Amino acid sequence: MSLMRAMRLHALGQPLQLDVVPRPEPQAGQVQYRVLACGVCRTDLHVVDGELSSPSLPLVPGHEIVGEVTAVGQGVGDLTPGMRIGVPWLGWTCGECDACLADRENLCERARFTGYTLDGGYAEYGVADARYCFPLMAEDAQAAAPLLCAGLIGYRTWRLAGGEENRRLGIYGFGAAAHILVQLAVARGQRVYAFTRPGDDAAQAFALRLGAVWAGSSDQSPPEPLDAALLFAPVGELVPLALAQVRPGGAVVSGGIHMSDIPAFPYRLLWQERSVKSVANLTRQDGEEFLALAPTVPILTETRAYPLEQANQALADLREGALTGAAVLIP
């Protein structure tokens, strides 16, 4: 029996443990992959901290995975050993529920998710349903890892807000997703206004360096009304703040899977056909579109590498806002 190292969650709210476990073998329709890099996402924090309360324990977190196929199960024809793949959050859907039949697989009633209800990439090896893996051409696995969630969810959030139809775009929470998305928006000729926690001068300088035309704290007003605002910080208080900055007919879209409660706000902030919506997961089409688009911008990620055994430190740095860009685990 082949063994591997994995950082696993045994109880909600507790640090991950470094375990030596059997290397998973691919079943029919699955691929086995060697993890080259795995991004550390805010959703991982929500899982570990118990804000997403139904993980499959013990669990290997991680869903921004760049891997190399090492074996394939029966019936897998498109992926072969040696190929480089990306393994995202959406790991399986039923194909039978109303959402799946309406081409909205991101809302599947029985969906399974990498690093939450399926073991993920905080390990040396993993397995995944071949249908939900993306072939990757990227040579730099560390740089590509954040594209698999921060990039994909950022892209879906941007698209649901109207995409490049918006001339003036606000981004609240300037972390991994925002630092990817701002590059796409600027390349599409959009004016980006970056909102950070009060006093976070480093994040504001980072946003300006990546092409934002203005950067300030979340309680400030930009120099002109926004056509749309995208929220990547899990702070409910940002919703009314963002609504107050959006023009009539504009949209506020939350890209997070978890958010603190939204406080009461006056109807006048929503009036004049403003809208508030959320993003749930992603579709395979999102992945195919964005991963084809990213090299044409080109999108360049800024990352900090951590050894696998320092996963808890990477999560702590993310929780404390001590990162510029994205954290990536390298087994």
Side-chain angles (χ1 to χ4, degrees):
M1 177 185 298
S2 298
L3 301 176
M4 69 172 188
R5 297 179 306 142
M7 295 296 293
R8 297 202 298 173
L9 177 68
H10 290 265
L12 298 180
Q14 298 299 311
L16 305 181
Q17 296 181 21
L18 180 60
D19 295 334
V20 176
V21 296
R23 185 183 303 177
E25 296 296 330
Q27 304 302 308
Q30 292 183 326
V31 296
Q32 180 195 71
Y33 57 87
R34 178 171 65 90
V35 179
L36 303 177
C38 183
V40 178
C41 178
R42 185 163 293 277
T43 300
D44 300 337
L45 269 184
H46 295 319
V47 173
V48 171
D49 291 346
E51 292 163 332
L52 298 179
S53 59
S54 302
S56 298
L57 299 178
L59 173 73
V60 179
H63 57 275
E64 294 181 330
I65 307 164
V66 177
E68 179 184 299
V69 176
T70 47
V72 300
Q74 184 178 0
V76 176
D78 295 338
L79 302 178
T80 57
M83 289 184 64
R84 184 161 293 194
I85 58 171
V87 183
W89 170 252
L90 186 67
W92 181 90
T93 57
C94 71
E96 301 172 347
C97 68
D98 289 345
C100 285
L101 294 176
D103 293 327
R104 304 183 73 183
E105 64 181 4
N106 60 307
L107 303 180
C108 174
E109 300 168 358
R110 292 182 281 164
R112 300 174 189 168
F113 302 106
T114 310
Y116 182 47
T117 54
L118 301 169
D119 278 338
Y122 287 19
E124 293 178 312
Y125 287 84
V127 295
D129 188 318
R131 299 171 298 172
Y132 296 82
C133 298
F134 300 116
L136 291 180
M137 300 301 293
E139 295 183 5
D140 188 339
Q142 179 177 322
L147 301 179
L148 272 300
C149 184
L152 292 180
I153 291 298
Y155 173 72
R156 184 172 181 86
T157 304
W158 176 78
R159 189 166 59 79
L160 288 187
E164 58 190 276
E165 295 178 2
N166 297 307
R167 185 173 65 87
R168 300 160 301 188
L169 189 68
I171 299 180
Y172 286 75
F174 210 86
H179 100 282
I180 292 172
L181 185 59
V182 67
Q183 298 175 62
L184 172 60
V186 169
R188 289 296 183 269
Q190 294 174 297
R191 294 169 61 83
V192 176
Y193 298 84
F195 298 81
T196 73
R197 289 180 295 186
D200 195 344
D201 296 336
Q204 292 172 20
F206 185 39
L208 293 171
R209 178 162 59 84
L210 290 174
V213 297
W214 177 91
S217 64
S218 56
D219 57 0
Q220 291 182 293
S221 296
E224 58 181 337
L226 305 173
D227 296 317
L230 313 183
L231 274 54
F232 295 115
V235 182
E237 289 84 353
L238 293 177
V239 173
L241 290 177
L243 277 170
Q245 306 305 333
V246 170
R247 61 159 175 80
V252 173
V253 184
S254 172
I257 195 171
H258 172 83
M259 179 178 277
S260 60
D261 289 346
I262 300 171
F265 57 87
Y267 176 65
R268 63 177 173 78
L269 294 181
L270 189 62
W271 188 57
Q272 293 185 308
E273 300 189 353
R274 295 175 179 87
S275 64
V276 178
K277 62 180 71 174
S278 67
V279 169
N281 314 313
L282 67 140
T283 67
R284 283 172 284 182
Q285 182 177 346
D286 293 328
E288 292 162 1
E289 290 177 0
F290 176 72
L291 292 173
L293 183 62
T296 70
V297 172
I299 289 175
L300 305 175
T301 60
E302 298 208 13
T303 61
R304 182 190 301 178
Y306 296 76
L308 177 63
E309 60 272 18
Q310 291 183 14
N312 288 312
Q313 184 62 55
L315 288 167
D317 289 346
L318 176 59
R319 183 184 291 108
E320 295 164 11
L323 292 167
T324 298
V328 179
L329 299 181
I330 306 296

